């Protein structure tokens, strides 16, 4: 069975969705959740599913502490699900094409430092975009610039608010993220 580590910084709805999805498969299992936020709701969500949680500080991510913990687990895939820190090159180098992220916009638009969550949804509404969506991509040394694996879009109306955009994006994330992870692990049996 393949091992997945999930990194998250906030509420953890995507992390929990992935945990639940893979608890019903033979292909993989979420074996640990890593977070940089000791108050993140993802901690309770993971513990409710008996998933071990690693809480770390930003400097531990930049040094070797987090990398060493990852190496002990030896994951097949590292999934960033609402993880807000820039992923360090020392981990990316150790796990090429084994780290993926979900972004709540259609990259390359609305990507980069500071572009996450409601910041993106507000910008999309302010710019009167007619559609938005999600992008699942590989992680490289730059924010939101790794190769795109999958995108899904959703139409917007003039009545949409940042909050309704967030709801539409959340639906796309919940539907597609676990399926794309499954497909990646299935296709890349050597991943």
């Amino acid at each position: 069975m393949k091992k997945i580590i999930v990194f998250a910084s906030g509420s953890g709805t995507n992390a929990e969705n992935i945990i639940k999805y893979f608890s019903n498969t033979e292909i993989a299992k979420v074996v640990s959740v890593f977070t940089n936020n000791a108050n993140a709701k993802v901690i309770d969500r993971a513990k409710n599913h008996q998933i071990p949680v690693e809480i770390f500080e930003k400097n531990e991510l930049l040094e070797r502490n987090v990398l060493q913990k990852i190496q002990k687990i030896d994951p097949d895939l590292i999934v960033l699900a609402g993880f807000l820190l820039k992923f360090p090159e020392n981990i990316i180098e150790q796990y090429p094409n084994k780290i993926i992220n979900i972004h709540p916009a259609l990259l390359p638009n609305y990507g980069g430092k500071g572009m996450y969550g409601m910041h993106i949804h507000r910008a999309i509404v302010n710019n009167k975009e007619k559609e938005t969506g999600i992008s699942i991509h590989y992680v490289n040394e730059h924010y939101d610039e790794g190769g795109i694996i999958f995108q899904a879009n959703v139409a917007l109306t003039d009545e949409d608010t940042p909050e309704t955009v967030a709801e539409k994006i959340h639906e796309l994330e919940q539907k597609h993220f676990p399926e794309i992870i499954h497909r990646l692990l299935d296709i890349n049996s050597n991943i």
Side-chain angles (χ1 to χ4, degrees), residues 3 16 22 47 82 85 89 110 118 124 132 143 145 160 162 170 183-184 188:
K3 294 182 280 188
E16 185 172 40
F22 285 100
K47 288 182 176 175
L85 297 180
E89 288 185 42
Y110 301 101
M118 292 305 287
I124 284 169
T132 188
Y143 280 112
E145 291 184 16
D160 272 309
H170 187 69
R183 193 183 319 160
L184 268 179
N188 301 318

Side-chain angles (χ1 to χ4, degrees), residues 7 15-17 47 57 60 68 72 88 119-120 142 152 185:
F7 276 74
E16 185 172 40
N17 189 38
K47 288 182 176 175
E57 309 235 340
E60 292 177 282
Q68 289 169 344
K72 281 183 188 164
H119 297 286
I120 294 172
H142 304 290
L185 289 170

Side-chain angles (χ1 to χ4, degrees), residues 45-93:
R45 291 181 193 273
K47 288 182 176 175
N48 287 342
H49 295 278
Q50 292 75 50
I51 305 295
V53 176
E54 291 284 347
I55 302 169
F56 60 89
E57 309 235 340
K58 184 177 182 179
N59 65 315
E60 292 177 282
L61 181 66
L62 301 175
E63 295 162 6
R64 296 195 54 81
N65 304 34
V66 172
L67 175 59
Q68 289 169 344
K69 289 178 181 179
I70 292 170
Q71 287 171 325
K72 281 183 188 164
I73 295 170
D74 188 28
D76 296 283
L77 193 64
I78 298 170
V79 175
L80 311 188
F83 185 67
L84 300 182
L85 297 180
K86 187 171 186 227
F87 223 63
E89 288 185 42
N90 67 337
I91 300 175
I92 294 167
E93 288 167 5

Side-chain angles (χ1 to χ4, degrees), residues 88-102:
E89 288 185 42
N90 67 337
I91 300 175
I92 294 167
E93 288 167 5
Q94 291 289 315
Y95 297 93
N97 295 320
K98 290 187 178 184
I99 306 170
I100 66 169
N101 181 45
I102 191 163

